[in-house]
Amino acid sequence: MDNAPNRTLLDLQALEDILQQGAVRTLFQPIYDISKQNILGFEALSRGISGTSLEFPERLFCIASEQGKLSELELLCREKAIARFVEQDLPGKLFINVSPNTLLDPSHPKGETLHLVEKYGLSANRVVIEVTEQDKVDDGFLLLKTIEHYRQLGFSIAIDDLGAGYSGLKQWSELRPDFVKVDRYFIDYCDQSIVKKEFLKSIIELAKVTKTSVIAEGIERLEELTLLEKLGIVHAQGFLLAKPARQPPRALEASQVTQLNLRSQSNHNEMSMSVGCLAQIEDAIGQSTRCKDAHKRFEQNKSLMSLAVINAKQQPVGLLHRDQLTEVFAAPYGHALYAKKSVVELMDKQPLVVDENAKLDVVSQQITEQEFDIRRHIIVTRDLKYLGLAPLRDILKHITEEKIRHAQHANPLTMLPGNVAINEAIEQRLRRQNTFSLAYVDLNHFKQFNDLYGYASGDSVIKLLADVTVQVCDQSSCFVGHIGGDDFMVVFDGDDAERLCHQIINQFELQSKAFFTSEHVEAGGYWATNREGQKQFVPLLTLSIGLVRPDLESCNNSHQVAALATDAKKEAKRYRNSYLFVCNRRKPAAPIVRIKTTVHECSV
C-alpha cells in the first residue's frame, strides 16, 4: 500500500505547525578568514521540528514552495536568524540565504528585511543577502533591480553555490556581488583534480578583477584547505573548521591553527601600527537625526568632512559626507525635500568599518581593493561600537612612511628586516612580557664557497637561506630578520621553535646542493687552500643554529637576548655538521665585578 499521500498530509500539517508556532531552529556555521585567523561571519541555517520529515531544509523548503508558502517561511527563518544572531552577540557578518524567486514574489513584503534589522538593532552593513544560483530566474532584469535595492539599503550581496546553477558567470557580472561562494562540488577533492584546480584559479582571477571576495564552502579535508590557502582563497567554511551549531565557536582555537597548519600573517605586519592610533574622536549622529540638523553641524565646524551615523546600540550604520549633503541642499527644492528627512536617506550605507586593532597595512589593502575616495574617512570601532573616524589620507600617508622606513632598515639583498627591526621585535615582546624564543642562524664554510664559486653564487645561497627560513616559518607565528652577510635571526612566538629550526636545516641542506658540481656533492665537499696556504677539505654548506628562550624577568633589553643567542650559536659552530644548539641558560651573564685593591708596602 502506497503511503505517499499520508506522508504528504503529515508534511503539510508539519509545515502549518512550523509557520503558526514559529517553530524554526537556527544554526550558525562560521566563515573564517584563514589569513587573519579570525571570523568573517556566520551563515544562518534553518531547521524544522526535530524528529519530523521537515527537520532538514531540502524537504522543508520544497513543501513550502509547492504550497505557495515559500515567502512566509523565508521571512520566518530570516527573523529567527537575525534575532538569534543579535541575542548571542556574534561577531562579524550574518549571511542569510534568500531564494531569487522569493525576492520576485509579488506577495513578498517589501522592506521587511530592513525592518527586521532595525527592530533587533543590527546594522544593515553587517548583513549579507545570499542569492542562490541553483534556482532558475525568469525575469533577470527585475532580479537585478531588487538586488540593487538591497544594496542601496546598505546590505551586502553574495552569490551562493557558484558553478552549480543556471546562469553562472552571467549572474556574477550582472549582480556585481560582494562575495561569491564556490559550490561544494568544486571543493570536494580539489587537491586531486586538475580540472577543479584550474576552475578555482579562474574564479580567483575573476574575483581580483571584479573586487569580489571568494568563499570556499563545504571544506571537509585538510588537503582541500591546504590547496585553497596556497591558491589565495582566504575565506573558508566547512565541517573541517566547524559544524553548524546553535551556539557556534567565535574564533579559531590555537590548537586548531596548529592542527590545520594555517599560515600566520607575514613578517611585514610585525611593525605595522594599528588603525586605532589614527582615529579622531568625533561625536556621531543617530539614525533619526534630520538632514537640516546634520547640515547645521557641518556649518558650525568647517573642518568637519564626515559624520558617522549610529544606531541605538552605538554601532555604526553609515557615514554622512559634507559635500554630498551640501550638493543636495544646493539643488532646486533640495532643502525643502530633504531638510526634515532622516540622514539615512543620504548617508553612505556601506562605509568601510574596521576594528581599532586592525593593522594599517591590512586596512590599506581593503581601501585599495574597494577604491574609496581618498578624501573620505573610515569608521573605527571598539567591540563593534563606534569609536571615531580615521581619514584615508592619514592612513595611506602612514603606510607610505612605514614602507620607506622598512626599506631604509631592510637588508638590500634579501629585503628582510635588518638590525633595527630585529631589535624592535625583541623589545616589543619584552615590554609586553610575551614569551618567545630567538634563533641565531649562521652559514658554515661560506667564505670558502664564496671564494671558489664566486660572489654571485654566494649571494644566491644567502637568498636561498632567506627563502627557506621564511617559507618554513610561514607556518607559524615568527619574525624573520637578516642581520647581514650570512647571519639571520628568527623570533618564534609559538612552542614549535625546535621543530622549525630542524626543518630549516633539512630544507637548506637539500636545496643548497644545487649550487655545487655533481663531483663535489658526491664527495661531500671539495679541497681548498686556507689562509696559511695549506690544502684542506671543505665540507658542503651547513647551518649552525643557536636557540634560546630568554627569561623575561631577567632580560632587560634586546642586546642581552641577542647575546644569549650568539653564545648558543657559537656552541653550535663547534660541530662539524649542521647543528641546532638549544641553550639552557635563559638569563644574561652576570657582569664581572673587578675589585680594586691597594697594596701597602711595609718596611722590615
Side-chain angles (χ1 to χ4, degrees), residues 48 126 150 214 227 261 331 349 486 514 589:
R126 291 186 62 200
Y150 272 97
V214 179
L227 173 65
N261 203 21
K349 297 181 178 68
D486 57 345

Coordinates of all heavy atoms in Angstrom, one line a residue, residues 48 126 150 214 227 261 331 349 486 514 589:
G48 N 13.7 22.6 10.7 CA 12.3 22.4 11.1 C 12.2 21.7 12.4 O 13.2 21.6 13.2
R126 N 26.1 44.8 8.2 CA 26.6 43.6 8.8 C 25.8 42.4 8.3 O 26.1 41.2 8.7 CB 26.6 43.6 10.3 CG 27.6 44.6 10.9 CD 27.6 44.4 12.4 NE 28.0 43.1 12.9 CZ 27.7 42.6 14.1 NH1 27.0 43.3 15.0 NH2 28.1 41.4 14.4
Y150 N 18.4 46.2 -2.4 CA 19.0 45.8 -1.1 C 20.4 46.4 -0.9 O 20.7 46.8 0.2 CB 19.2 44.2 -1.2 CG 18.0 43.4 -0.7 CD1 17.1 42.9 -1.6 CD2 17.8 43.2 0.6 CE1 16.0 42.2 -1.2 CE2 16.7 42.5 1.1 CZ 15.8 42.0 0.2 OH 14.7 41.3 0.6
V214 N 36.1 35.7 -2.5 CA 35.7 34.3 -2.7 C 35.6 33.6 -1.4 O 36.5 33.7 -0.6 CB 36.7 33.7 -3.6 CG1 36.3 32.2 -3.9 CG2 36.8 34.4 -5.0
L227 N 45.3 23.4 -0.2 CA 45.4 23.8 -1.6 C 44.7 25.2 -1.7 O 45.2 26.1 -2.4 CB 44.7 22.8 -2.5 CG 44.5 23.3 -4.0 CD1 45.9 23.4 -4.6 CD2 43.6 22.4 -4.8
N261 N 47.5 23.6 10.3 CA 48.8 24.1 9.7 C 48.6 25.4 9.0 O 49.1 25.6 7.9 CB 49.3 23.0 8.8 CG 50.8 23.2 8.6 OD1 51.5 23.8 9.4 ND2 51.3 22.7 7.5
A331 N 20.8 72.0 -4.6 CA 19.9 71.8 -5.8 C 18.5 72.4 -5.6 O 18.1 72.7 -4.5 CB 19.8 70.3 -6.0
K349 N 25.7 54.0 2.9 CA 25.2 52.9 3.8 C 26.3 51.7 3.8 O 26.0 50.7 4.5 CB 23.9 52.4 3.2 CG 22.8 53.4 3.3 CD 21.5 52.8 2.8 CE 20.3 53.8 3.0 NZ 20.5 55.0 2.1
D486 N 75.9 36.4 6.1 CA 75.2 35.1 6.1 C 74.5 34.8 7.5 O 74.3 33.6 7.9 CB 76.1 33.9 5.7 CG 77.3 33.9 6.6 OD1 77.6 34.9 7.4 OD2 78.0 32.9 6.6
A514 N 72.2 22.1 -5.0 CA 72.1 22.5 -6.4 C 73.2 23.5 -6.8 O 73.5 23.7 -8.0 CB 70.7 23.1 -6.7
A589 N 74.4 36.9 31.3 CA 75.6 36.7 32.1 C 75.8 37.8 33.1 O 75.6 39.0 32.8 CB 76.9 36.5 31.3

